[in-house]
DNA sequence: TTACTATACGGAACAACGTTCCGCTTAGCC
DNA sequence: GGCTAAGCGGAACGTTGTTCCGTATAGTAA
């Protein structure tokens, strides 16, 4: 076991998280590393020591909210009138999260190496929840069992791209059509 | 009116189109400008003289196919059993086009300046067709009139992102759920 | 208090990208 | 054969993410 981190290191890490969060709000998740460093009054090297890649910084900033979303799944399933309704509500929760973080949806789908950890984190955390909701809806006979959780999550994520910047595009509408379409396919 | 283009210029333009098409097939539409120039045995400056921006090159390469897609709309409407069926077929045609061009869907939604002309070209050409199909389906009472053509096209485009690289994600399935969902909303 | 060292820092430097610019070349015409 | 507008190549610029290393300092032991 190594010694605990130095005090200045701990301080910088927290400063960086705040600066990143602020930068993401102002300029989206694609805010340049240099901007974030400048905001925090820190060199770029410091960022990379704390967060091996930009994706890790993004994860650190949003971890709490992703976890909250994951935990909401079972809760919705318990108190919703039907599994399909719970699935719909949960997906809308996910959509809300994505489109309030400028550009997160886009970065999430990016297949550029370096965003793998981001991809992985979201999947690890949310895929099981989605699968559970889907299974419940399927065994209630509300949807076909052929819907794959990964495909659905990825599709929802894709639909959210650009929804925060383009006033003529509202991902929520399309997501709801999609959810409707899932049910009709049931029988 | 200025003189017609010089022979070498015309030759280079056509060589560039071929080189770009080949590069897009090999490495996707995000193929670096330098690669395309090298393939054509030409300097990068030559590309930019013929095509002010990368987006213009992409448009030039795919123009024919976009036009073909646009023209297929009215034809499908004429020979399909119902407007909703025609809409579905046409959207699948659009999806086929997008997912066979590596990364085109992604670039199409990119809001980075410089891709505006690409955005505009697709919209100019395809939006009216989509709107016509939607209107026909709406007045046949098959779908709600509230579906906006732009939103639908953008959503379909989004769904196609990554469908060519990720073996576990097939945009076609989700697009079909979406199309189904459109009808059910008619009630 | 002082001295020592692992830890952490800053920012120059690198590679890859789209794009611009300009000195040289050449096609087409008189 | 020469003149000139048109066209060309590729170095150079500005912007990315990321790496690297000389310097500074926190924490500890004397």
């Amino acid at each position: 076991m190594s010694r605990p981190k130095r005090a200045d290191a701990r301080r910088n890490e927290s400063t960086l998280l705040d600066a990143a969060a602020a930068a993401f709000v102002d300029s989206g998740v694609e805010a340049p590393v240099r901007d974030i460093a400048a905001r925090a009054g820190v060199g770029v090297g410091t960022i990379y020591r704390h967060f091996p890649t930009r994706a890790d910084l993004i994860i650190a900033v949003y971890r709490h909210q992703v976890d909250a979303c994951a935990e909401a799944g079972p809760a919705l399933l318990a108190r919703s009138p039907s599994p399909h309704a719970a699935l719909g509500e949960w997906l809308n929760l996910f959509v809300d999260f994505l489109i309030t973080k400028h550009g997160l949806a886009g970065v999430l789908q990016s297949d550029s190496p370096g965003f793998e950890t981001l991809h992985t984190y979201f999947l690890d955390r949310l895929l099981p929840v989605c699968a559970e909701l889907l299974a419940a809806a399927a065994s209630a006979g509300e949807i076909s069992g052929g819907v794959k959780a990964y495909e659905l999550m990825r599709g929802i994520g894709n639909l959210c791209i650009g929804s925060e910047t383009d006033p003529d595009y509202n991902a929520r509408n399309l997501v709801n059509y999609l959810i409707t379409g899932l049910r009709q396919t049931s029988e």
Side-chain angles (χ1 to χ4, degrees), chain A residues 48-72:
Chain A
Y48 281 93
R49 201 161 323 94
H50 288 287
F51 309 97
T53 174
R54 266 178 33 116
D56 298 288
L57 180 54
I58 299 176
I59 294 177
V61 169
Y62 293 129
R63 172 160 265 147
H64 291 61
Q65 297 182 54
V66 174
D67 289 352
C69 184
E71 283 154 20

Side-chain angles (χ1 to χ4, degrees), chain A residues 95-171:
Chain A
V95 169
D96 281 342
F97 169 63
L98 283 185
I99 72 186
T100 50
K101 320 301 171 212
H102 310 235
L104 178 59
V107 141
L108 199 55
Q109 315 297 339
S110 155
D111 54 356
S112 91
F115 283 117
E116 247 153 329
T117 67
L118 182 65
H119 208 83
T120 307
Y121 180 69
F122 269 77
L123 254 42
D124 281 358
R125 212 65 187 76
L126 301 179
L127 207 60
V129 179
C130 183
E132 185 189 338
L133 288 165
L134 276 176
S139 67
E142 295 180 313
I143 66 170
S144 135
V147 185
K148 287 177 288 180
Y150 175 78
E151 203 159 74
L152 180 57
M153 294 241 43
R154 168 121 201 199
I156 300 284
N158 272 357
L159 281 176
C160 291
I161 296 175
S163 197
E164 69 279 9
T165 49
D166 186 340
D168 294 325
Y169 178 65
N170 187 345

